[in-house]
Amino acid sequence: MTDESSAPRDARPRPRYGEYAPEGWVSPVADAAAAREAELAAKAAESRAVDARPGAAPVTQTASTAGPATPAALSTGRRVDRIATLALIGLAVYNVVGNVVLVPNFSATLLDLLRRSGYDVDTFTSQAGLQTAGAVIAVTSLVVFVVMLWWSLRRLRAGRLSFFVPLAAGVLVTAVQLVAVFSVVLGDAAFVQSVMDAGNRP
């Protein structure tokens, strides 16, 4: 910090409170403000001159200078997310109810579906395994649904992105269904052999 006593002092008389300034006296604050205004005006004129040059690239607004998203855009995005989330939750409800209702006849229903597709299910001997797979699918669907519903509603109330929650839950349940069913079906050696023999027939 510099010593104020060493700074040059203005020897001109300063006006007292309630009287006019003596002739020729100029406020240093006014001088600084005028210099600042002149500097800003010069920069603005220079910027206009650059923009007016032939072939000059137009100044575009980048992501760093762009303003924040407007409330209308945020409101629209949240509304779309809410609709998508609720629609996916509705599909999840339908899937869970279907899996639970199907448990008592899961093996018979799946074998009937394979029979209609042209497979010889008379050689299939793992009906009990299919029933267990159906129960595992139903329980998994119910547990995943409860967690998904709680998390989705919590994010919706907080105004956060939520549609991916039921979407991820659906992918998880589908993966469990495929693994549970195919592990039983492909584990039945007699059934797999009959399918292979049917595919080798001319």
Side-chain angles (χ1 to χ4, degrees):
M1 181 180 296
T2 59
D3 188 1
E4 295 183 357
S5 61
S6 61
R9 301 177 64 85
D10 189 356
R12 294 176 297 176
R14 298 177 179 272
R16 296 182 178 180
Y17 180 78
E19 67 177 1
Y20 293 104
E23 184 178 357
W25 188 85
V26 180
S27 172
V29 177
D31 289 344
R36 179 60 179 170
E37 291 179 0
E39 181 182 357
L40 293 177
K43 289 183 178 180
E46 182 180 356
S47 177
R48 287 194 296 269
V50 171
D51 294 340
R53 288 186 305 177
V59 178
T60 57
Q61 190 177 34
T62 61
S64 59
T65 59
T70 61
L74 290 175
S75 178
T76 301
R78 290 173 180 172
R79 188 180 302 111
V80 172
D81 175 68
R82 182 179 297 271
I83 293 174
T85 303
L86 294 178
L88 291 172
I89 290 176
L91 291 176
V93 172
Y94 176 80
N95 182 68
V96 170
V97 172
N99 288 335
V100 172
V101 172
L102 195 61
V103 169
N105 300 313
F106 184 82
S107 178
T109 302
L110 185 59
L111 291 178
D112 183 62
L113 180 62
L114 291 175
R115 182 181 294 105
R116 293 182 181 182
S117 299
Y119 295 99
D120 183 13
V121 298
D122 295 334
T123 58
F124 189 80
T125 59
S126 300
Q127 288 84 354
L130 276 183
Q131 281 298 120
T132 303
V136 170
I137 292 172
V139 172
T140 302
S141 300
L142 189 58
V143 172
V144 172
F145 174 79
V146 171
V147 176
M148 177 271 296
L149 183 62
W150 169 78
W151 193 17
S152 298
L153 295 179
R154 183 177 180 181
R155 294 183 67 89
L156 285 174
R157 284 194 297 266
R160 302 174 65 183
L161 194 66
S162 308
F163 80 94
F164 71 91
V165 178
L167 191 63
V171 172
L172 176 61
V173 172
T174 300
V176 172
Q177 289 175 334
L178 293 176
V179 171
V181 171
F182 278 100
S183 62
V184 175
V185 173
L186 297 180
D188 192 305
F191 176 73
V192 173
Q193 186 62 42
S194 66
V195 171
M196 296 177 61
D197 292 342
N200 294 329
R201 293 174 186 172

